[in-house]
């Protein structure tokens, strides 16, 4: 008898309707949460990609710094070698200049002797 009560049936139908609405609402919430979770996972993956690119950039930068340091060391060595060669050449030039001055002095002495000899013969 209670089963045939129309008001009870209306309440059950209303309750089923509310439950259906809640199920729909929960389904939409779960779907939105799933989409949000998927978006967060995509963003996390992108962050990892960016971090990997950054790490590669740091490695490339370190390699560039090492290359520059090697080039600077080679340049410094080349500069030192150039100075060494320049000083060696300056020393050789100085020796040659001294020898030339000595020879010029000897030529002057010879010319003086010749002039003296010629003036003595006259």
């Amino acid at each position: 008898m209670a089963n045939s009560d129309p008001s009870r049936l209306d309440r059950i139908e209303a309750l089923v309707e509310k439950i259906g609405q809640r199920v729909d609402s929960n389904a939409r919430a779960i779907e939105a949460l799933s989409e949000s979770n998927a978006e967060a996972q995509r963003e996390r993956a992108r962050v990892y990609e960016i971090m990997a690119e950054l790490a590669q950039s740091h490695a490339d930068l370190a390699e560039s710094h090492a290359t520059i340091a090697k080039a600077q060391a080679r340049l410094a060595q080349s500069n030192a070698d150039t100075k060494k060669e320049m000083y060696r050449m300056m020393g050789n030039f100085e020796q040659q200049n001294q020898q030339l001055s000595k020879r010029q002095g000897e030529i002057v002495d010879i010319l003086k002797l010749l002039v003296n000899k010629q003036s003595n013969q006259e």
Side-chain angles (χ1 to χ4, degrees):
M1 290 184 228
N3 288 343
S4 63
D5 183 10
S7 67
R8 184 167 185 219
L9 187 58
D10 288 342
R11 286 192 313 258
I12 291 174
E13 286 177 357
L15 187 58
V16 168
E17 177 71 25
K18 283 185 181 181
I19 290 172
Q21 290 173 353
R22 284 189 181 166
V23 167
D24 289 344
S25 174
N26 286 346
R28 285 189 302 273
I30 290 170
E31 185 178 339
L33 184 58
S34 293
E35 288 175 16
S36 176
N37 189 30
E39 179 64 24
Q41 288 176 347
R42 284 190 296 272
E43 287 177 5
R44 185 178 302 117
R46 181 63 185 137
V47 166
Y48 289 148
E49 286 177 23
I50 291 170
M51 289 171 62
E53 290 171 4
L54 180 60
Q56 184 60 51
S57 294
H58 280 174
D60 293 346
L61 181 60
E63 185 177 343
S64 295
H65 280 144
T67 301
I68 290 170
K70 287 177 185 176
Q72 287 175 330
R74 283 193 306 269
L75 180 60
Q77 183 61 49
S78 176
N79 204 5
D81 292 345
T82 300
K83 284 182 180 180
K84 182 179 174 182
E85 181 65 15
M86 182 182 71
Y87 292 136
R88 185 190 66 76
M89 291 174 71
M90 287 172 64
N92 286 345
F93 175 74
E94 185 63 33
Q95 286 177 349
Q96 290 173 355
N97 195 27
Q98 287 174 359
Q99 288 176 356
L100 180 60
S101 292
K102 184 179 175 182
R103 295 288 180 223
Q104 286 175 339
E106 290 171 355
I107 291 171
V108 167
D109 289 341
I110 292 171
L111 288 173
K112 284 181 184 178
L113 286 175
L114 289 174
V115 167
N116 284 340
K117 200 178 214 187
Q118 187 178 16
S119 44
N120 286 338
Q121 289 178 354
E122 294 177 350

